Amino acid sequence: MHPAFSVIFLTTLIGAGQGLFLALFSGQLYSAVNLLPAQSSSFYVTGSIIALVLMVGGLAASFLHLGRPERAWRAASQWRTSWLSREVIILPAVMGLVFVYGVLHFSGWQPDWFGNGIPHQPALIVGAVTTLAVFALYIATGMIYASIKFLQEWASVLTVINYTLLGAASGFTLATALAAWQGSGLVGFYGVWAVILTVAGLISRAASLYRNARIKYKSTVQTAIGMRHNAVVQKSMGMMGGSYNTREYFHGASAAFFKSVKYIFLVLVFPVPLALLWAGLEEVSVVLLGAAFLVQYIGLLFERWFFFAQANHPQNLYYQTI
């Protein structure tokens, strides 16, 4: 498939924003039961603003993918059958809930509804609902691709798992840098989870690469034309120039470039951020922890490009000789 940068930015930005919110709520939840030191409201407000900025940026990028942006609302009308429609509905819902979560912390409203003295109970309730919505959004985004059966590289539960783990890993890495910048006592907590999620993401992404390298395609030149002969070879593209089909369903990059992107993202998403996290946690360095997020995010741009480019559309059986 031809990777669209608007979709690459959409999926990576909202993934990091969702992960950052999960980190914020996790920290508050642990603090509420006295497993971690309580944080100031400004920490959660700042984190909510950054998460919102990331998701708004992703949403803005998605509009660049639309031929007629004024008709974008129609994308939500098929929610009964379309994962894309569900994503279109859940994303603004998550953004609204994160906004409310930040406002509740900013307002300082702390009624003791349950009589147990736990602070920020309204924000905890909204945070719990938002967490469910965040996971629903991860699933909806991943299922847009995992549900396309004829693109066998995408049609796997690993697609959903990778979207969730890589988004959460980048969000927790950003939360670690944010905690260091704000002088929060949650640097170690976020840092450990960022490492765990990054390692888990490495395992799941490696599993998907291993799986995709061994795919036995259901559609072949033989099945496309209904012949049982094993020596069918296509000699021509069937036309003299390119077309919509050759532009949209094939990445157009050389084999060497395509292979190099895989190694670039494997280095930038996993070992380099892990090394920077380790060094940054040792010194509680905002620069190193910020660099860990930046490098990992750049790596995710390469990872998402590779994800889209790797999908081999069956129509390329006809256009394979270009």
PDB file of all heavy atoms in Angstrom, residues 188-223:
ATOM      1  N   GLY A 188      10.391   7.741  38.296  1.00  0.00           N
ATOM      2  CA  GLY A 188      10.759   6.323  38.306  1.00  0.00           C
ATOM      3  C   GLY A 188       9.596   5.425  37.921  1.00  0.00           C
ATOM      4  O   GLY A 188       9.764   4.461  37.150  1.00  0.00           O
ATOM      5  N   PHE A 189       8.395   5.740  38.419  1.00  0.00           N
ATOM      6  CA  PHE A 189       7.199   4.943  38.117  1.00  0.00           C
ATOM      7  C   PHE A 189       6.917   4.936  36.619  1.00  0.00           C
ATOM      8  O   PHE A 189       6.746   3.877  36.002  1.00  0.00           O
ATOM      9  CB  PHE A 189       6.007   5.516  38.885  1.00  0.00           C
ATOM     10  CG  PHE A 189       4.680   4.927  38.518  1.00  0.00           C
ATOM     11  CD1 PHE A 189       4.335   3.649  38.925  1.00  0.00           C
ATOM     12  CD2 PHE A 189       3.772   5.654  37.755  1.00  0.00           C
ATOM     13  CE1 PHE A 189       3.097   3.100  38.586  1.00  0.00           C
ATOM     14  CE2 PHE A 189       2.548   5.121  37.416  1.00  0.00           C
ATOM     15  CZ  PHE A 189       2.200   3.845  37.831  1.00  0.00           C
ATOM     16  N   TYR A 190       6.903   6.143  36.028  1.00  0.00           N
ATOM     17  CA  TYR A 190       6.640   6.222  34.592  1.00  0.00           C
ATOM     18  C   TYR A 190       7.783   5.594  33.795  1.00  0.00           C
ATOM     19  O   TYR A 190       7.552   4.951  32.762  1.00  0.00           O
ATOM     20  CB  TYR A 190       6.463   7.682  34.176  1.00  0.00           C
ATOM     21  CG  TYR A 190       5.171   8.311  34.650  1.00  0.00           C
ATOM     22  CD1 TYR A 190       5.122   9.660  35.010  1.00  0.00           C
ATOM     23  CD2 TYR A 190       3.999   7.569  34.725  1.00  0.00           C
ATOM     24  CE1 TYR A 190       3.937  10.244  35.444  1.00  0.00           C
ATOM     25  CE2 TYR A 190       2.820   8.147  35.155  1.00  0.00           C
ATOM     26  CZ  TYR A 190       2.801   9.478  35.511  1.00  0.00           C
ATOM     27  OH  TYR A 190       1.625  10.043  35.943  1.00  0.00           O
ATOM     28  N   GLY A 191       9.012   5.808  34.255  1.00  0.00           N
ATOM     29  CA  GLY A 191      10.160   5.277  33.532  1.00  0.00           C
ATOM     30  C   GLY A 191      10.143   3.761  33.459  1.00  0.00           C
ATOM     31  O   GLY A 191      10.407   3.176  32.398  1.00  0.00           O
ATOM     32  N   VAL A 192       9.826   3.116  34.587  1.00  0.00           N
ATOM     33  CA  VAL A 192       9.774   1.648  34.605  1.00  0.00           C
ATOM     34  C   VAL A 192       8.695   1.137  33.652  1.00  0.00           C
ATOM     35  O   VAL A 192       8.908   0.193  32.879  1.00  0.00           O
ATOM     36  CB  VAL A 192       9.528   1.146  36.040  1.00  0.00           C
ATOM     37  CG1 VAL A 192       9.202  -0.347  36.037  1.00  0.00           C
ATOM     38  CG2 VAL A 192      10.743   1.412  36.914  1.00  0.00           C
ATOM     39  N   TRP A 193       7.518   1.795  33.693  1.00  0.00           N
ATOM     40  CA  TRP A 193       6.440   1.356  32.800  1.00  0.00           C
ATOM     41  C   TRP A 193       6.775   1.633  31.333  1.00  0.00           C
ATOM     42  O   TRP A 193       6.394   0.871  30.436  1.00  0.00           O
ATOM     43  CB  TRP A 193       5.122   2.030  33.177  1.00  0.00           C
ATOM     44  CG  TRP A 193       4.394   1.243  34.219  1.00  0.00           C
ATOM     45  CD1 TRP A 193       4.226   1.550  35.532  1.00  0.00           C
ATOM     46  CD2 TRP A 193       3.751  -0.028  34.020  1.00  0.00           C
ATOM     47  NE1 TRP A 193       3.518   0.563  36.178  1.00  0.00           N
ATOM     48  CE2 TRP A 193       3.211  -0.418  35.272  1.00  0.00           C
ATOM     49  CE3 TRP A 193       3.577  -0.869  32.930  1.00  0.00           C
ATOM     50  CZ2 TRP A 193       2.514  -1.600  35.442  1.00  0.00           C
ATOM     51  CZ3 TRP A 193       2.878  -2.060  33.098  1.00  0.00           C
ATOM     52  CH2 TRP A 193       2.362  -2.419  34.351  1.00  0.00           C
ATOM     53  N   ALA A 194       7.495   2.745  31.072  1.00  0.00           N
ATOM     54  CA  ALA A 194       7.906   3.034  29.693  1.00  0.00           C
ATOM     55  C   ALA A 194       8.827   1.933  29.175  1.00  0.00           C
ATOM     56  O   ALA A 194       8.713   1.500  28.021  1.00  0.00           O
ATOM     57  CB  ALA A 194       8.601   4.389  29.626  1.00  0.00           C
ATOM     58  N   VAL A 195       9.732   1.461  30.033  1.00  0.00           N
ATOM     59  CA  VAL A 195      10.637   0.371  29.641  1.00  0.00           C
ATOM     60  C   VAL A 195       9.849  -0.914  29.401  1.00  0.00           C
ATOM     61  O   VAL A 195      10.046  -1.611  28.391  1.00  0.00           O
ATOM     62  CB  VAL A 195      11.711   0.161  30.728  1.00  0.00           C
ATOM     63  CG1 VAL A 195      12.504  -1.122  30.456  1.00  0.00           C
ATOM     64  CG2 VAL A 195      12.652   1.365  30.789  1.00  0.00           C
ATOM     65  N   ILE A 196       8.939  -1.239  30.329  1.00  0.00           N
ATOM     66  CA  ILE A 196       8.142  -2.471  30.192  1.00  0.00           C
ATOM     67  C   ILE A 196       7.328  -2.448  28.897  1.00  0.00           C
ATOM     68  O   ILE A 196       7.299  -3.425  28.135  1.00  0.00           O
ATOM     69  CB  ILE A 196       7.212  -2.637  31.413  1.00  0.00           C
ATOM     70  CG1 ILE A 196       8.040  -2.925  32.672  1.00  0.00           C
ATOM     71  CG2 ILE A 196       6.198  -3.758  31.176  1.00  0.00           C
ATOM     72  CD1 ILE A 196       7.225  -2.912  33.954  1.00  0.00           C
ATOM     73  N   LEU A 197       6.673  -1.322  28.647  1.00  0.00           N
ATOM     74  CA  LEU A 197       5.819  -1.233  27.447  1.00  0.00           C
ATOM     75  C   LEU A 197       6.651  -1.237  26.167  1.00  0.00           C
ATOM     76  O   LEU A 197       6.235  -1.805  25.148  1.00  0.00           O
ATOM     77  CB  LEU A 197       4.966   0.038  27.530  1.00  0.00           C
ATOM     78  CG  LEU A 197       3.854  -0.006  28.585  1.00  0.00           C
ATOM     79  CD1 LEU A 197       3.276   1.392  28.818  1.00  0.00           C
ATOM     80  CD2 LEU A 197       2.745  -0.965  28.150  1.00  0.00           C
ATOM     81  N   THR A 198       7.830  -0.606  26.203  1.00  0.00           N
ATOM     82  CA  THR A 198       8.695  -0.609  25.018  1.00  0.00           C
ATOM     83  C   THR A 198       9.191  -2.020  24.723  1.00  0.00           C
ATOM     84  O   THR A 198       9.207  -2.449  23.556  1.00  0.00           O
ATOM     85  CB  THR A 198       9.884   0.346  25.225  1.00  0.00           C
ATOM     86  OG1 THR A 198       9.394   1.678  25.443  1.00  0.00           O
ATOM     87  CG2 THR A 198      10.798   0.359  24.015  1.00  0.00           C
ATOM     88  N   VAL A 199       9.581  -2.756  25.757  1.00  0.00           N
ATOM     89  CA  VAL A 199      10.039  -4.144  25.558  1.00  0.00           C
ATOM     90  C   VAL A 199       8.877  -5.012  25.062  1.00  0.00           C
ATOM     91  O   VAL A 199       9.043  -5.836  24.141  1.00  0.00           O
ATOM     92  CB  VAL A 199      10.625  -4.707  26.860  1.00  0.00           C
ATOM     93  CG1 VAL A 199      10.911  -6.207  26.722  1.00  0.00           C
ATOM     94  CG2 VAL A 199      11.905  -3.964  27.230  1.00  0.00           C
ATOM     95  N   ALA A 200       7.684  -4.811  25.648  1.00  0.00           N
ATOM     96  CA  ALA A 200       6.511  -5.566  25.194  1.00  0.00           C
ATOM     97  C   ALA A 200       6.193  -5.230  23.738  1.00  0.00           C
ATOM     98  O   ALA A 200       5.832  -6.110  22.941  1.00  0.00           O
ATOM     99  CB  ALA A 200       5.312  -5.256  26.095  1.00  0.00           C
ATOM    100  N   GLY A 201       6.325  -3.941  23.381  1.00  0.00           N
ATOM    101  CA  GLY A 201       6.105  -3.535  21.994  1.00  0.00           C
ATOM    102  C   GLY A 201       7.107  -4.166  21.048  1.00  0.00           C
ATOM    103  O   GLY A 201       6.769  -4.546  19.926  1.00  0.00           O
ATOM    104  N   LEU A 202       8.358  -4.277  21.498  1.00  0.00           N
ATOM    105  CA  LEU A 202       9.388  -4.922  20.678  1.00  0.00           C
ATOM    106  C   LEU A 202       9.027  -6.382  20.421  1.00  0.00           C
ATOM    107  O   LEU A 202       9.144  -6.876  19.285  1.00  0.00           O
ATOM    108  CB  LEU A 202      10.745  -4.835  21.382  1.00  0.00           C
ATOM    109  CG  LEU A 202      11.888  -5.636  20.752  1.00  0.00           C
ATOM    110  CD1 LEU A 202      12.158  -5.175  19.324  1.00  0.00           C
ATOM    111  CD2 LEU A 202      13.157  -5.510  21.601  1.00  0.00           C
ATOM    112  N   ILE A 203       8.567  -7.071  21.469  1.00  0.00           N
ATOM    113  CA  ILE A 203       8.204  -8.486  21.314  1.00  0.00           C
ATOM    114  C   ILE A 203       7.036  -8.651  20.343  1.00  0.00           C
ATOM    115  O   ILE A 203       7.067  -9.495  19.436  1.00  0.00           O
ATOM    116  CB  ILE A 203       7.861  -9.102  22.686  1.00  0.00           C
ATOM    117  CG1 ILE A 203       9.104  -9.128  23.580  1.00  0.00           C
ATOM    118  CG2 ILE A 203       7.280 -10.504  22.528  1.00  0.00           C
ATOM    119  CD1 ILE A 203       8.824  -9.494  25.022  1.00  0.00           C
ATOM    120  N   SER A 204       5.990  -7.831  20.501  1.00  0.00           N
ATOM    121  CA  SER A 204       4.813  -7.975  19.637  1.00  0.00           C
ATOM    122  C   SER A 204       5.115  -7.540  18.204  1.00  0.00           C
ATOM    123  O   SER A 204       4.644  -8.167  17.247  1.00  0.00           O
ATOM    124  CB  SER A 204       3.646  -7.161  20.201  1.00  0.00           C
ATOM    125  OG  SER A 204       3.920  -5.779  20.144  1.00  0.00           O
ATOM    126  N   ARG A 205       5.929  -6.474  18.043  1.00  0.00           N
ATOM    127  CA  ARG A 205       6.247  -6.032  16.669  1.00  0.00           C
ATOM    128  C   ARG A 205       7.146  -7.049  15.984  1.00  0.00           C
ATOM    129  O   ARG A 205       7.003  -7.302  14.775  1.00  0.00           O
ATOM    130  CB  ARG A 205       6.942  -4.664  16.713  1.00  0.00           C
ATOM    131  CG  ARG A 205       6.985  -3.970  15.350  1.00  0.00           C
ATOM    132  CD  ARG A 205       5.598  -3.630  14.890  1.00  0.00           C
ATOM    133  NE  ARG A 205       5.577  -2.954  13.594  1.00  0.00           N
ATOM    134  CZ  ARG A 205       5.445  -3.566  12.420  1.00  0.00           C
ATOM    135  NH1 ARG A 205       5.334  -4.887  12.366  1.00  0.00           N
ATOM    136  NH2 ARG A 205       5.383  -2.880  11.297  1.00  0.00           N
ATOM    137  N   ALA A 206       8.095  -7.630  16.746  1.00  0.00           N
ATOM    138  CA  ALA A 206       8.946  -8.675  16.166  1.00  0.00           C
ATOM    139  C   ALA A 206       8.101  -9.877  15.767  1.00  0.00           C
ATOM    140  O   ALA A 206       8.353 -10.511  14.725  1.00  0.00           O
ATOM    141  CB  ALA A 206      10.031  -9.082  17.169  1.00  0.00           C
ATOM    142  N   ALA A 207       7.089 -10.190  16.576  1.00  0.00           N
ATOM    143  CA  ALA A 207       6.202 -11.314  16.241  1.00  0.00           C
ATOM    144  C   ALA A 207       5.449 -11.040  14.941  1.00  0.00           C
ATOM    145  O   ALA A 207       5.277 -11.950  14.113  1.00  0.00           O
ATOM    146  CB  ALA A 207       5.221 -11.551  17.389  1.00  0.00           C
ATOM    147  N   SER A 208       5.003  -9.796  14.740  1.00  0.00           N
ATOM    148  CA  SER A 208       4.279  -9.485  13.507  1.00  0.00           C
ATOM    149  C   SER A 208       5.215  -9.526  12.296  1.00  0.00           C
ATOM    150  O   SER A 208       4.823  -9.983  11.215  1.00  0.00           O
ATOM    151  CB  SER A 208       3.605  -8.118  13.615  1.00  0.00           C
ATOM    152  OG  SER A 208       4.550  -7.078  13.643  1.00  0.00           O
ATOM    153  N   LEU A 209       6.470  -9.070  12.473  1.00  0.00           N
ATOM    154  CA  LEU A 209       7.435  -9.155  11.369  1.00  0.00           C
ATOM    155  C   LEU A 209       7.723 -10.611  11.010  1.00  0.00           C
ATOM    156  O   LEU A 209       7.822 -10.967   9.832  1.00  0.00           O
ATOM    157  CB  LEU A 209       8.734  -8.434  11.760  1.00  0.00           C
ATOM    158  CG  LEU A 209       8.664  -6.902  11.874  1.00  0.00           C
ATOM    159  CD1 LEU A 209       9.984  -6.360  12.422  1.00  0.00           C
ATOM    160  CD2 LEU A 209       8.347  -6.266  10.530  1.00  0.00           C
ATOM    161  N   TYR A 210       7.864 -11.447  12.047  1.00  0.00           N
ATOM    162  CA  TYR A 210       8.115 -12.885  11.824  1.00  0.00           C
ATOM    163  C   TYR A 210       6.927 -13.517  11.091  1.00  0.00           C
ATOM    164  O   TYR A 210       7.107 -14.280  10.141  1.00  0.00           O
ATOM    165  CB  TYR A 210       8.348 -13.564  13.173  1.00  0.00           C
ATOM    166  CG  TYR A 210       8.621 -15.041  13.091  1.00  0.00           C
ATOM    167  CD1 TYR A 210       9.911 -15.521  12.848  1.00  0.00           C
ATOM    168  CD2 TYR A 210       7.580 -15.962  13.249  1.00  0.00           C
ATOM    169  CE1 TYR A 210      10.155 -16.884  12.768  1.00  0.00           C
ATOM    170  CE2 TYR A 210       7.821 -17.324  13.176  1.00  0.00           C
ATOM    171  CZ  TYR A 210       9.102 -17.783  12.936  1.00  0.00           C
ATOM    172  OH  TYR A 210       9.333 -19.139  12.850  1.00  0.00           O
ATOM    173  N   ARG A 211       5.719 -13.175  11.541  1.00  0.00           N
ATOM    174  CA  ARG A 211       4.509 -13.727  10.911  1.00  0.00           C
ATOM    175  C   ARG A 211       4.409 -13.289   9.448  1.00  0.00           C
ATOM    176  O   ARG A 211       4.162 -14.113   8.556  1.00  0.00           O
ATOM    177  CB  ARG A 211       3.272 -13.251  11.671  1.00  0.00           C
ATOM    178  CG  ARG A 211       1.952 -13.526  10.972  1.00  0.00           C
ATOM    179  CD  ARG A 211       0.801 -12.818  11.656  1.00  0.00           C
ATOM    180  NE  ARG A 211      -0.424 -13.012  10.918  1.00  0.00           N
ATOM    181  CZ  ARG A 211      -0.814 -12.223   9.899  1.00  0.00           C
ATOM    182  NH1 ARG A 211      -0.041 -11.212   9.514  1.00  0.00           N
ATOM    183  NH2 ARG A 211      -1.959 -12.469   9.277  1.00  0.00           N
ATOM    184  N   ASN A 212       4.616 -11.996   9.205  1.00  0.00           N
ATOM    185  CA  ASN A 212       4.437 -11.483   7.847  1.00  0.00           C
ATOM    186  C   ASN A 212       5.493 -12.019   6.881  1.00  0.00           C
ATOM    187  O   ASN A 212       5.243 -12.132   5.686  1.00  0.00           O
ATOM    188  CB  ASN A 212       4.480  -9.950   7.864  1.00  0.00           C
ATOM    189  CG  ASN A 212       3.244  -9.365   8.530  1.00  0.00           C
ATOM    190  OD1 ASN A 212       2.262 -10.066   8.770  1.00  0.00           O
ATOM    191  ND2 ASN A 212       3.288  -8.089   8.849  1.00  0.00           N
ATOM    192  N   ALA A 213       6.678 -12.323   7.420  1.00  0.00           N
ATOM    193  CA  ALA A 213       7.729 -12.859   6.548  1.00  0.00           C
ATOM    194  C   ALA A 213       7.402 -14.271   6.085  1.00  0.00           C
ATOM    195  O   ALA A 213       8.035 -14.772   5.143  1.00  0.00           O
ATOM    196  CB  ALA A 213       9.066 -12.830   7.277  1.00  0.00           C
ATOM    197  N   ARG A 214       6.449 -14.935   6.724  1.00  0.00           N
ATOM    198  CA  ARG A 214       6.122 -16.328   6.404  1.00  0.00           C
ATOM    199  C   ARG A 214       4.686 -16.509   5.905  1.00  0.00           C
ATOM    200  O   ARG A 214       4.138 -17.608   5.942  1.00  0.00           O
ATOM    201  CB  ARG A 214       6.358 -17.201   7.652  1.00  0.00           C
ATOM    202  CG  ARG A 214       7.840 -17.394   7.932  1.00  0.00           C
ATOM    203  CD  ARG A 214       8.124 -17.743   9.365  1.00  0.00           C
ATOM    204  NE  ARG A 214       9.565 -17.913   9.562  1.00  0.00           N
ATOM    205  CZ  ARG A 214      10.418 -16.901   9.664  1.00  0.00           C
ATOM    206  NH1 ARG A 214       9.964 -15.655   9.607  1.00  0.00           N
ATOM    207  NH2 ARG A 214      11.709 -17.118   9.820  1.00  0.00           N
ATOM    208  N   ILE A 215       4.097 -15.436   5.432  1.00  0.00           N
ATOM    209  CA  ILE A 215       2.724 -15.515   4.939  1.00  0.00           C
ATOM    210  C   ILE A 215       2.668 -16.335   3.647  1.00  0.00           C
ATOM    211  O   ILE A 215       3.493 -16.152   2.751  1.00  0.00           O
ATOM    212  CB  ILE A 215       2.158 -14.098   4.683  1.00  0.00           C
ATOM    213  CG1 ILE A 215       1.829 -13.422   6.011  1.00  0.00           C
ATOM    214  CG2 ILE A 215       0.917 -14.155   3.805  1.00  0.00           C
ATOM    215  CD1 ILE A 215       1.309 -12.009   5.854  1.00  0.00           C
ATOM    216  N   LYS A 216       1.693 -17.218   3.587  1.00  0.00           N
ATOM    217  CA  LYS A 216       1.385 -17.921   2.347  1.00  0.00           C
ATOM    218  C   LYS A 216       0.154 -17.251   1.753  1.00  0.00           C
ATOM    219  O   LYS A 216      -0.948 -17.387   2.279  1.00  0.00           O
ATOM    220  CB  LYS A 216       1.127 -19.409   2.618  1.00  0.00           C
ATOM    221  CG  LYS A 216       2.367 -20.164   3.065  1.00  0.00           C
ATOM    222  CD  LYS A 216       2.082 -21.649   3.235  1.00  0.00           C
ATOM    223  CE  LYS A 216       3.360 -22.402   3.641  1.00  0.00           C
ATOM    224  NZ  LYS A 216       3.099 -23.857   3.844  1.00  0.00           N
ATOM    225  N   TYR A 217       0.349 -16.524   0.675  1.00  0.00           N
ATOM    226  CA  TYR A 217      -0.728 -15.708   0.133  1.00  0.00           C
ATOM    227  C   TYR A 217      -1.842 -16.568  -0.475  1.00  0.00           C
ATOM    228  O   TYR A 217      -1.574 -17.538  -1.188  1.00  0.00           O
ATOM    229  CB  TYR A 217      -0.171 -14.733  -0.905  1.00  0.00           C
ATOM    230  CG  TYR A 217       0.680 -13.654  -0.276  1.00  0.00           C
ATOM    231  CD1 TYR A 217       2.067 -13.729  -0.306  1.00  0.00           C
ATOM    232  CD2 TYR A 217       0.085 -12.583   0.374  1.00  0.00           C
ATOM    233  CE1 TYR A 217       2.846 -12.750   0.297  1.00  0.00           C
ATOM    234  CE2 TYR A 217       0.852 -11.605   0.979  1.00  0.00           C
ATOM    235  CZ  TYR A 217       2.225 -11.693   0.945  1.00  0.00           C
ATOM    236  OH  TYR A 217       2.972 -10.736   1.551  1.00  0.00           O
ATOM    237  N   LYS A 218      -3.079 -16.133  -0.165  1.00  0.00           N
ATOM    238  CA  LYS A 218      -4.237 -16.867  -0.682  1.00  0.00           C
ATOM    239  C   LYS A 218      -4.454 -16.584  -2.165  1.00  0.00           C
ATOM    240  O   LYS A 218      -4.996 -17.408  -2.890  1.00  0.00           O
ATOM    241  CB  LYS A 218      -5.487 -16.461   0.114  1.00  0.00           C
ATOM    242  CG  LYS A 218      -5.410 -16.810   1.596  1.00  0.00           C
ATOM    243  CD  LYS A 218      -6.606 -16.273   2.353  1.00  0.00           C
ATOM    244  CE  LYS A 218      -6.477 -16.578   3.848  1.00  0.00           C
ATOM    245  NZ  LYS A 218      -7.592 -15.989   4.623  1.00  0.00           N
ATOM    246  N   SER A 219      -4.052 -15.368  -2.594  1.00  0.00           N
ATOM    247  CA  SER A 219      -4.220 -14.997  -3.994  1.00  0.00           C
ATOM    248  C   SER A 219      -2.871 -15.039  -4.700  1.00  0.00           C
ATOM    249  O   SER A 219      -1.885 -14.473  -4.215  1.00  0.00           O
ATOM    250  CB  SER A 219      -4.800 -13.577  -4.099  1.00  0.00           C
ATOM    251  OG  SER A 219      -6.068 -13.523  -3.490  1.00  0.00           O
ATOM    252  N   THR A 220      -2.827 -15.729  -5.821  1.00  0.00           N
ATOM    253  CA  THR A 220      -1.603 -15.825  -6.626  1.00  0.00           C
ATOM    254  C   THR A 220      -1.971 -15.527  -8.080  1.00  0.00           C
ATOM    255  O   THR A 220      -3.151 -15.348  -8.419  1.00  0.00           O
ATOM    256  CB  THR A 220      -0.997 -17.226  -6.527  1.00  0.00           C
ATOM    257  OG1 THR A 220      -1.929 -18.164  -7.095  1.00  0.00           O
ATOM    258  CG2 THR A 220      -0.710 -17.605  -5.081  1.00  0.00           C
ATOM    259  N   VAL A 221      -0.967 -15.485  -8.928  1.00  0.00           N
ATOM    260  CA  VAL A 221      -1.248 -15.293 -10.349  1.00  0.00           C
ATOM    261  C   VAL A 221      -2.122 -16.432 -10.872  1.00  0.00           C
ATOM    262  O   VAL A 221      -3.026 -16.229 -11.686  1.00  0.00           O
ATOM    263  CB  VAL A 221       0.079 -15.230 -11.133  1.00  0.00           C
ATOM    264  CG1 VAL A 221      -0.193 -15.135 -12.636  1.00  0.00           C
ATOM    265  CG2 VAL A 221       0.910 -14.045 -10.674  1.00  0.00           C
ATOM    266  N   GLN A 222      -1.881 -17.620 -10.350  1.00  0.00           N
ATOM    267  CA  GLN A 222      -2.666 -18.773 -10.797  1.00  0.00           C
ATOM    268  C   GLN A 222      -4.136 -18.648 -10.386  1.00  0.00           C
ATOM    269  O   GLN A 222      -5.048 -18.862 -11.187  1.00  0.00           O
ATOM    270  CB  GLN A 222      -2.077 -20.076 -10.229  1.00  0.00           C
ATOM    271  CG  GLN A 222      -0.780 -20.519 -10.869  1.00  0.00           C
ATOM    272  CD  GLN A 222       0.414 -19.696 -10.396  1.00  0.00           C
ATOM    273  OE1 GLN A 222       0.361 -19.065  -9.341  1.00  0.00           O
ATOM    274  NE2 GLN A 222       1.482 -19.668 -11.185  1.00  0.00           N
ATOM    275  N   THR A 223      -4.374 -18.279  -9.125  1.00  0.00           N
ATOM    276  CA  THR A 223      -5.763 -18.167  -8.672  1.00  0.00           C
ATOM    277  C   THR A 223      -6.446 -16.959  -9.308  1.00  0.00           C
ATOM    278  O   THR A 223      -7.666 -16.958  -9.496  1.00  0.00           O
ATOM    279  CB  THR A 223      -5.826 -18.028  -7.147  1.00  0.00           C
ATOM    280  OG1 THR A 223      -5.142 -16.823  -6.746  1.00  0.00           O
ATOM    281  CG2 THR A 223      -5.173 -19.208  -6.448  1.00  0.00           C
TER     282      THR A 223
END
